Amino acid sequence: MLSGRATAALVALGWYDDIVARARPCDAILSRWASPEYVERTALLEPGGHGWIIDRSWFDPLVRRLAVRDGVTRVATSTQAPSTGRRVLATGKHAPPDGMRRVLGPDRVALTAAGPTGAVRGLGHRLTVEAVAAGWWSAVDDGVHVAVTYVTDPVVLRRHGGLDQAWRAVVRAAPGWLPADFRAIRPRVRPIRNRLQAGLAGPVRVGDCALSVDPLSGHGLALALETGLRWHDSDYPAWLAEQADRHADDGLAAHAAVPYETDYWQAGRSC
Ligand SMILES: Cc1cc2nc3c(=O)[nH]c(=O)nc-3n(C[C@H](O)[C@H](O)[C@H](O)COP(=O)(O)OP(=O)(O)OC[C@H]3O[C@@H](n4cnc5c(N)ncnc54)[C@H](O)[C@@H]3O)c2cc1C
């Protein structure tokens, strides 16, 4: 999902039309979070306006093309200077340390499986999010595939003796909207980090390299785009620190709202 918050950055970058031409508007968020009932929140009421359902398989290459069109070049090594302009580090959440690191939340892992569009019945143009005892599920359908993600504690993979066993076990216990045949789809594993790691050493950092936030916030991509606009401002470090505070607070509130007293949710309330 690309949150509505990204609109301002996309417009400022001149990328809005190229991105929304391919994206599918997200009409609503259907969640089971603080109460046992599903609650639907229309995207019309979102402060940033509605978001978009995107597939990173077209979104990432498109963003790279737009950046190149606008003069961004890739240098081969961290010591090589670009022929014009300034060097920034944009290598994502696994950036080398630069002496500054603030942990904003526990490490998590996301298991994502893609099925055919329509496999999660009744989803339509909505994002669904659901808290369970040891993590949370989400599903979104871009009209080609439905992507189902389970975010949990990495210890789950060890406890079940590996990815396949863990996935089968979590799908068995998943919410009723998840078709049982997702058990047979091998998920992709992605580590989740919650970090502010933008110090003053080395090149200026943008995107997850500077600040990576829990996907629960839904704002990782919007933040990354915003850092691309702000990195040369003198107040950039202060802005990053303020964003980190805000995300840490939002993360605590999201974990506090869930009525489970399990290790997973407690860890997120005490970080
Ligand atoms: C499971 C999961 C779900 C998420 N869901 C959402 C969501 O729904 N909405 C949202 O807004 N955000 C979401 N996020 C967050 C979002 O993915 C990130 O915030 C965003 O991708 C950050 O962009 P980036 O360009 O900084 O990093 P990345 O997208 O990680 O891109 C970094 C790039 O740098 C390249 N790279 C790394 N090292 C080098 C090197 N040495 N040399 C050259 N290239 C290198 C990598 O290959 C990669 O292409 C999610 C994150 C996770 C983990």
Side-chain angles (χ1 to χ4, degrees):
M1 277 285 309
L2 182 62
S3 71
R5 171 177 167 163
T7 303
L10 290 175
V11 171
L13 287 160
W15 297 358
Y16 180 84
D17 292 339
D18 295 274
I19 303 280
V20 303
R22 291 206 57 180
R24 186 184 225 202
C26 178
D27 295 340
I29 299 174
L30 182 67
S31 66
R32 186 145 84 148
W33 201 261
S35 65
E37 297 84 39
Y38 286 95
V39 176
E40 180 160 338
R41 204 171 71 223
T42 166
L44 291 172
L45 301 178
E46 290 300 304
H50 71 70
W52 291 274
I53 301 168
I54 53 160
D55 185 334
R56 299 291 293 267
S57 69
W58 63 257
F59 179 84
D60 287 15
L62 176 56
V63 164
R64 275 196 290 273
R65 273 201 306 280
L66 292 169
V68 169
R69 183 194 71 188
D70 292 349
V72 174
T73 56
R74 203 162 125 173
V75 289
T77 67
S78 58
T79 49
Q80 186 190 340
S83 50
T84 56
R86 280 178 63 192
R87 192 157 47 94
V88 299
L89 193 64
T91 52
K93 59 183 169 290
H94 297 292
D98 79 340
M100 196 279 196
R101 199 171 91 132
R102 197 177 130 203
V103 175
L104 307 170
D107 290 351
R108 307 295 201 193
V109 65
L111 310 180
T112 300
T117 183
V120 174
R121 295 202 15 219
L123 185 57
H125 291 206
R126 299 179 296 181
L127 165 70
T128 192
V129 184
E130 178 158 350
V132 294
W136 55 279
W137 287 89
S138 68
V140 74
D141 192 327
D142 71 352
V144 182
H145 295 111
V146 61
V148 171
T149 299
Y150 180 54
V151 174
T152 188
D153 190 315
V155 80
V156 165
L157 296 180
R158 212 166 44 236
R159 195 178 293 145
H160 288 281
L163 175 61
D164 294 333
Q165 299 90 318
W167 180 246
R168 278 198 296 274
V170 298
V171 171
R172 249 195 318 273
W177 48 258
L178 184 68
D181 52 10
F182 266 71
R183 249 196 328 253
I185 303 173
R186 192 155 217 261
R188 179 179 165 205
V189 180
R190 287 175 294 167
I192 293 173
R193 300 287 178 262
N194 286 282
R195 308 261 194 279
L196 173 65
Q197 46 184 4
L200 296 175
V204 178
R205 292 165 175 245
V206 294
D208 276 12
C209 217
L211 174 61
S212 52
V213 298
D214 199 316
L216 189 51
S217 79
H219 292 316
L221 287 166
L223 263 176
L225 292 166
E226 289 167 13
T227 61
L229 286 165
R230 288 178 174 268
W231 64 270
H232 39 62
D233 293 348
S234 57
D235 69 348
Y236 180 59
W239 179 82
L240 276 176
E242 184 198 315
Q243 296 301 315
D245 289 343
R246 198 176 292 176
H247 281 276
D249 290 348
D250 290 351
L252 287 175
H255 284 78
V258 168
Y260 292 109
E261 296 302 329
T262 52
D263 291 350
Y264 178 89
W265 294 104
Q266 278 172 357
R269 291 170 196 149
S270 59
C271 220

